[in-house]
Amino acid sequence: MASCRAWNLRVLVAVVCGLLTGIILGLGIWRIVIRIQRGKSTSSSSTPTEFCRNGGTWENGRCICTEEWKGLRCTIANFCENSTYMGFTFARIPVGRYGPSLQTCGKDTPNAGNPMAVRLCSLSLYGEIELQKVTIGNCNENLETLEKQVKDVTAPLNNISSEVQILTSDANKLTAENITSATRVVGQIFNTSRNASPEAKKVAIVTVSQLLDASEDAFQRVAATANDDALTTLIEQMETYSLSLGNQSVVEPNIAIQSANFSSENAVGPSNVRFSVQKGASSSLVSSSTFIHTNVDGLNPDAQTELQVLLNMTKNYTKTCGFVVYQNDKLFQSKTFTAKSDFSQKIISSKTDENEQDQSASVDMVFSPKYNQKEFQLYSYACVYWNLSAKDWDTYGCQKDKGTDGFLRCRCNHTTNFAVLMTFRKDYQYPKSLDILSNVGCALSVTGLALTVIFQIVTRKVRKTSVTWVLVNLCISMLIFNLLFVFGIENSNKNLQTSDGDINNIDFDNNDIPRTDTINIPNPMCTAIAALLHYFLLVTFTWNALSAAQLYYLLIRTMKPLPRHFILFISLIGWGVPAIVVAITVGVIYSQNGNNPQWELDYRQEKICWLAIPEPNGVIKSPLLWSFIVPVTIILISNVVMFITISIKVLWKNNQNLTSTKKVSSMKKIVSTLSVAVVFGITWILAYLMLVNDDSIRIVFSYIFCLFNTTQGLQIFILYTVRTKVFQSEASKVLMLLSSIGRRKSLPSVTRPRLRVKMYNFLRSLPTLHERFRLLETSPSTEEITLSESDNAKESI
């Protein structure tokens, strides 16, 4: 009856421990995903996020507001409230925008799903926010039908322009086909031969601004699939239109066009014209942000200047010049330059009314680099213009101009669409060197693992047994991993990090077009070390699993011998399976991103030479998840299950033949349990406990994890080497020899034998096991474990 109760208690303990382990591992994986998603969105700014209200962000010393708010702290409303007019309901509309109605066209109409009407929110002459009248669309028309209609020279361009503007009001729904059709319709409206009204053209500018809100992917598909020059034609027509506004301007959130007409001044035109765009509270363009000054001496940027262009006209018969500012570069789809960041890349166009063959104006420009200075450093830039024939950026006639005012300066000997292609290097916060605890723990582990391997190999004849194969392989893999971790985990690029993104450090003689706007200095050595760390840590966990499997066969399934060629079989698994996992991981990543010179960062981190942390939307595809976290979690769960089984059925099972005292028996059970836990890698479960939100608790678990796992090699040395009779016998001889030499010099000869006897008795009294730990080795001759051998293994624990 007592044995039945003890058995039920052991089963209950096993079930509880298993459930707790599964819960801890499950919560750990869940916390990894949550911390990855939250960590990417955490602001690194030292300014409290509460300072900028209503979604505003603190950048470069000021709040950048959303379109709906303005002011120092983004607390002043810049929108029209929800409204209902003529049976149509409109949500909140930012100033300067057309808001689509919530009512959409029916499913049985060609324009199904699109808004039935739009309404403009604008500022009055007195600066008050007001709603304009509703413009109702035609549900029987869509962009494809309007594209066909506009080809007719008698088509009503005013109506078509309004319809296109309504159909493009919801930029999130625009596809590549929609953009292509809308661009062709707008191109016909701006065609000088069609003589469209100024009102139709102004509405078409609204359409262009709305198109620039469409996704970058949609524009890339337009550039890849379009059979004509719709985008190029539109760019040319914007330049031509900029000469026709007199001294007026048309400003929309994503495009601003302004003209300067000098025909009424004198017979001789001005020598210099300066066009400026000022910084705003948000990223949108507003009517009060653009200025034109004539007959100026040169550029004159200030702290509020975002970009400035100076037209130097050597011939004085120029009567008109025009400027166009694009909020982004979506119309300029380059084949050589790829923008990966979300920084605003403004494009500026300047044009005069001179003949194309007689263009003599040169251009000086300054750009204020707008980027997150907390996370990025300006690495370089290139002064370029849009080559309409090549449909790509070009540097012909353009060069960098060095300045000392923090602006990027360019000079070109012609007029057209200009841009500054900036490249940034992420300002990585490289971690500090390993702390004292990690260094000391790894040093002790490396020493202990090396001594354990040497002891297992050298003393195999003295111990009259073969090398404990699983233990030796576990120690070798762990030893190599610790060495790589100590000497290779830090990225050598850490020493190349500059203190700031000083513009004066840029090479002004090099004006080559970059391939991308973000760069990382390649480091193949760091990638190789990351792959080796990945491999040897997987090897370590694999040998942990093989240790557990072998011990389970020896102690639980005692009637069944180990398979034939067991040593060869587990060796192929222990060293081969991790190699396959790492090779497949690197191969898949390289095959998907090999054309990208920065493909390494899809596999490893830049801060340290270890597997890359996935993006919030790429956790499922992350190499860290599938090639490390998942296999390690499976191994830990299986090891914990076997550890609990072995502990209950073998280590803590009552032995009727036990002759030692209860105190010694309990101590041996504890030591045996610790010995098994170490080679099973159970302490790695503490890594999941480091994911708690509480900083104080996380720090405690971090130190505990570091203490247990950096000294794992030392624990193996103590439990599997120091505690053996062979090691203690040899150590006692050495200590006795050293003691005798020391005592010979300081004590009389009469006391030497007595001291040697005391030292010998002290060393003999240390708790010890048999001469070897039979649980982790097989028979060298038959590679089979018989029932009698397994019984001996149980007794040796």
Side-chain angles (χ1 to χ4, degrees):
M1 188 70 178
S3 61
C4 183
R5 289 179 180 177
W7 171 253
N8 292 334
L9 179 61
R10 289 197 295 270
V11 171
L12 179 62
V13 172
V15 172
V16 172
C17 293
L19 289 175
L20 290 176
T21 302
I23 292 172
I24 291 174
L25 292 175
L27 290 176
I29 295 176
W30 176 71
R31 289 301 305 160
I32 288 175
V33 175
I34 296 300
R35 285 176 67 84
I36 287 173
Q37 293 177 342
R38 289 182 178 177
K40 297 294 182 179
S41 59
T42 302
S43 174
S44 61
S45 174
S46 59
T47 301
T49 56
E50 294 80 6
F51 182 80
C52 300
R53 302 296 180 86
N54 300 311
T57 57
W58 182 265
E59 294 182 12
N60 304 334
R62 65 192 183 108
C63 287
I64 303 298
C65 308
T66 61
E67 282 189 315
E68 297 179 347
W69 299 93
K70 62 182 180 179
L72 179 64
R73 301 181 61 187
C74 306
T75 54
I76 302 175
N78 191 45
F79 57 85
C80 296
E81 290 285 1
N82 300 350
S83 62
T84 301
Y85 186 77
M86 296 176 60
F88 296 103
T89 303
F90 300 88
R92 179 184 291 180
I93 307 172
V95 172
R97 294 277 187 176
Y98 283 83
S101 64
L102 300 183
Q103 290 78 17
T104 59
C105 296
K107 297 181 179 179
D108 55 345
T109 61
N111 196 17
N114 285 311
M116 298 178 64
V118 294
R119 195 176 191 185
L120 174 65
C121 176
S122 63
L123 291 176
S124 67
L125 294 176
Y126 302 101
E128 297 178 352
I129 300 175
E130 60 182 11
L131 283 165
Q132 302 298 325
K133 294 182 178 180
V134 174
T135 303
I136 303 175
N138 185 356
C139 288
N140 293 319
E141 301 287 355
N142 56 28
L143 291 171
E144 287 73 16
T145 59
L146 292 175
E147 182 183 353
K148 297 177 181 178
Q149 292 179 22
V150 79
K151 295 178 182 179
D152 187 357
V153 293
T154 62
L157 296 182
N158 283 10
N159 293 340
I160 292 177
S161 183
S162 297
E163 290 292 339
V164 174
Q165 187 265 319
I166 295 173
L167 292 173
T168 58
S169 58
D170 192 353
N172 295 325
K173 296 182 179 180
L174 293 178
T175 64
E177 293 74 16
N178 296 150
I179 295 174
T180 301
S181 297
T183 303
R184 291 172 180 169
V185 173
V186 172
Q188 289 293 329
I189 294 173
F190 282 107
N191 191 334
T192 55
S193 64
R194 300 299 300 271
N195 295 319
S197 65
E199 292 74 16
K201 292 182 179 179
K202 288 185 179 180
V203 174
I205 294 297
V206 177
T207 301
V208 174
S209 179
Q210 293 175 165
L211 289 176
L212 292 176
D213 281 326
S215 66
E216 180 69 28
D217 292 338
F219 274 96
Q220 290 177 357
R221 290 194 294 271
V222 170
T225 59
N227 297 322
D228 59 3
D229 301 331
L231 296 180
T232 302
T233 301
L234 180 61
I235 294 171
E236 292 179 310
Q237 290 170 339
M238 291 296 99
E239 290 184 10
T240 303
Y241 179 65
S242 68
L243 299 174
S244 64
L245 294 176
N247 290 313
Q248 298 180 350
S249 63
V250 177
V251 180
E252 295 296 330
N254 290 320
I255 186 172
I257 304 175
Q258 191 162 357
S259 297
N261 193 314
F262 318 113
S263 59
S264 61
E265 296 183 2
N266 297 307
V268 178
S271 58
N272 294 321
V273 179
R274 185 174 64 209
F275 175 72
S276 304
V277 178
Q278 300 295 102
K279 296 177 181 178
S282 67
S283 58
S284 299
L285 296 169
V286 294
S287 58
S288 59
S289 62
T290 60
F291 304 93
I292 285 183
H293 298 89
T294 60
N295 293 317
V296 294
D297 295 332
L299 295 169
N300 186 28
D302 55 26
Q304 297 302 316
T305 301
E306 185 165 3
L307 64 87
Q308 200 170 87
V309 177
L310 179 67
L311 271 175
N312 301 301
M313 293 173 285
T314 58
K315 297 182 180 181
N316 295 329
Y317 50 76
T318 300
K319 298 302 180 182
T320 306
C321 64
F323 302 92
V324 183
V325 178
Y326 300 93
Q327 181 65 18
N328 54 58
D329 59 352
K330 293 179 181 178
L331 290 179
F332 305 84
Q333 292 297 314
S334 174
K335 296 180 286 293
T336 58
F337 176 78
T338 303
K340 295 183 178 181
S341 66
D342 56 354
F343 303 139
S344 176
Q345 184 71 49
K346 284 185 169 59
I347 312 297
I348 178 70
S349 167
S350 63
K351 187 176 178 62
T352 65
D353 60 351
E354 298 176 2
N355 294 329
E356 195 71 27
Q357 296 81 9
D358 199 25
Q359 288 283 338
S360 60
S362 63
V363 180
D364 290 338
M365 295 165 286
V366 292
F367 293 79
S368 176
K370 188 177 179 181
Y371 61 98
N372 189 344
Q373 297 180 2
K374 292 291 184 180
E375 296 184 6
F376 290 88
Q377 293 179 350
L378 181 63
Y379 182 78
S380 183
Y381 73 95
C383 299
V384 297
Y385 76 96
W386 186 254
N387 190 325
L388 293 173
S389 59
K391 301 177 186 177
D392 211 337
W393 297 114
D394 198 349
T395 59
Y396 176 77
C398 296
Q399 63 183 20
K400 297 178 185 177
D401 197 4
K402 189 173 183 180
T404 59
D405 49 9
F407 288 90
L408 307 182
R409 292 179 175 265
C410 295
R411 178 174 297 174
C412 295
N413 59 13
H414 52 81
T415 60
T416 184
N417 296 278
F418 301 102
V420 166
L421 303 182
M422 294 175 286
T423 56
F424 303 94
R425 182 185 176 191
K426 192 169 183 179
D427 189 10
Y428 290 101
Q429 300 300 318
Y430 290 96
K432 296 180 180 180
S433 301
L434 297 176
D435 56 19
I436 297 176
L437 180 60
S438 297
N439 281 320
V440 172
C442 289
L444 293 175
S445 286
V446 168
T447 304
L449 291 168
L451 292 176
T452 300
V453 172
I454 295 173
F455 173 79
Q456 291 290 327
I457 296 175
V458 172
T459 64
R460 65 187 186 278
K461 293 183 179 180
V462 178
R463 294 182 291 116
K464 298 180 181 180
T465 180
S466 63
V467 178
T468 308
W469 186 251
V470 176
L471 181 62
V472 169
N473 281 274
L474 174 62
C475 291
I476 291 175
S477 63
M478 199 180 299
L479 172 63
I480 298 175
F481 172 78
N482 276 278
L483 291 173
L484 289 171
F485 179 80
V486 172
F487 295 105
I489 191 68
E490 293 184 4
N491 192 342
S492 58
N493 287 349
K494 175 181 179 180
N495 302 324
L496 303 177
Q497 188 81 342
T498 57
S499 58
D500 56 17
D502 191 358
I503 294 177
N504 294 322
N505 295 329
I506 294 175
D507 183 8
F508 289 92
D509 296 327
N510 181 12
N511 196 36
D512 295 337
I513 299 177
R515 296 187 59 181
T516 180
D517 62 343
T518 55
I519 67 164
N520 287 280
I521 299 177
N523 192 345
M525 181 60 68
C526 185
T527 305
I529 291 175
L532 290 175
L533 285 171
H534 184 196
Y535 171 69
F536 281 105
L537 191 55
L538 284 180
V539 169
T540 300
F541 278 105
T542 305
W543 282 108
N544 287 144
L546 293 173
S547 300
Q550 186 189 35
L551 197 57
Y552 181 84
Y553 267 98
L554 288 173
L555 299 180
I556 305 302
R557 304 185 64 181
T558 55
M559 298 300 295
K560 296 183 179 181
L562 294 174
R564 290 178 57 84
H565 308 295
F566 184 71
I567 295 296
L568 177 61
F569 179 70
I570 63 175
S571 299
L572 291 176
I573 294 177
W575 296 100
V577 172
I580 295 173
V581 173
V582 175
I584 292 176
T585 303
V586 177
V588 169
I589 293 176
Y590 183 78
S591 63
Q592 294 177 347
N593 308 281
N595 296 328
N596 184 0
Q598 301 174 25
W599 70 271
E600 299 175 8
L601 295 184
D602 292 319
Y603 175 70
R604 65 164 176 86
Q605 302 179 42
E606 174 64 19
K607 295 181 180 179
I608 58 174
C609 301
W610 179 239
L611 298 180
I613 298 176
E615 297 291 336
N617 57 353
V619 176
I620 302 300
K621 299 180 180 179
S622 167
L624 178 65
L625 177 65
W626 295 107
S627 66
F628 184 74
I629 294 178
V630 170
V632 167
T633 301
I634 294 174
I635 290 174
L636 285 177
I637 291 176
S638 62
N639 283 8
V640 168
V641 171
M642 286 186 279
F643 171 72
I644 294 173
T645 304
I646 292 173
S647 298
I648 293 176
K649 291 187 176 181
V650 178
L651 301 181
W652 290 88
K653 184 179 180 180
N654 292 329
N655 191 345
Q656 301 298 330
N657 298 323
L658 188 64
T659 59
S660 58
T661 63
K662 182 177 181 181
K663 181 178 180 180
V664 175
S665 175
S666 299
M667 180 60 68
K668 285 188 176 182
K669 289 179 179 180
I670 293 173
V671 173
S672 299
T673 304
L674 291 177
S675 302
V676 175
V678 168
V679 296
F680 282 18
I682 303 299
T683 54
W684 281 87
I685 297 177
L686 295 171
Y688 297 95
L689 300 177
M690 294 164 56
L691 300 173
V692 295
N693 283 329
D694 192 292
D695 290 337
S696 58
I697 297 177
R698 184 167 62 248
I699 291 175
V700 171
F701 281 120
S702 298
Y703 276 103
I704 295 175
F705 173 80
C706 185
L707 178 64
F708 275 97
N709 289 282
T710 58
T711 60
Q712 190 174 4
L714 179 64
Q715 298 169 41
I716 291 177
F717 173 68
I718 294 174
L719 295 172
Y720 291 92
T721 300
V722 174
R723 295 178 63 244
T724 60
K725 285 186 177 181
V726 175
F727 180 84
Q728 293 182 7
S729 176
E730 296 298 325
S732 64
K733 293 179 182 178
V734 174
L735 290 176
M736 291 176 64
L737 179 61
L738 295 176
S739 177
S740 63
I741 295 175
R743 295 297 182 180
R744 189 179 298 118
K745 296 180 179 180
S746 58
L747 296 176
S749 59
V750 176
T751 62
R752 292 172 189 168
R754 184 180 303 171
L755 289 175
R756 285 198 293 268
V757 170
K758 289 183 178 181
M759 178 62 69
Y760 180 76
N761 291 333
F762 170 73
L763 293 172
R764 291 287 292 174
S765 65
L766 292 174
T768 180
L769 297 178
H770 289 285
E771 69 278 3
R772 61 187 177 93
F773 190 59
R774 293 180 179 270
L775 300 182
L776 302 177
E777 63 181 355
T778 60
S779 174
S781 58
T782 63
E783 298 180 345
E784 296 180 353
I785 301 300
T786 62
L787 178 60
S788 60
E789 287 176 324
S790 63
D791 291 338
N792 292 335
K794 295 178 183 178
E795 294 175 1
S796 66
I797 299 179

